[in-house]
Amino acid sequence: VSGEFAAVLRGLVGDGALAPAIQALLATGSTSGRALALGLCTAIDLVDRTTRPR
């Protein structure tokens, strides 16, 4: 895991500043940071959808 991606994960659990971590991730590469962010959002959505009480 890249340092930028790890910083976002830490920010999501309250162990660091989230907004700057997201900005740093999005600035990684020309498109790879955005692709990683999209994958993370997709994973979070999937977990939410499959663990939410019906």
Side-chain angles (χ1 to χ4, degrees), residues 25-40:
L25 179 61
L26 294 176
T28 302
S30 59
T31 59
S32 58
R34 284 181 168 81
L36 285 168
L38 177 60
L40 179 58

Side-chain angles (χ1 to χ4, degrees), residues 5-19 21-22 37 40-41 44:
F5 190 83
V8 171
L9 294 176
R10 286 192 303 273
L12 286 171
V13 297
D15 186 22
L18 183 57
I22 291 172
L40 179 58
C41 290
I44 290 169

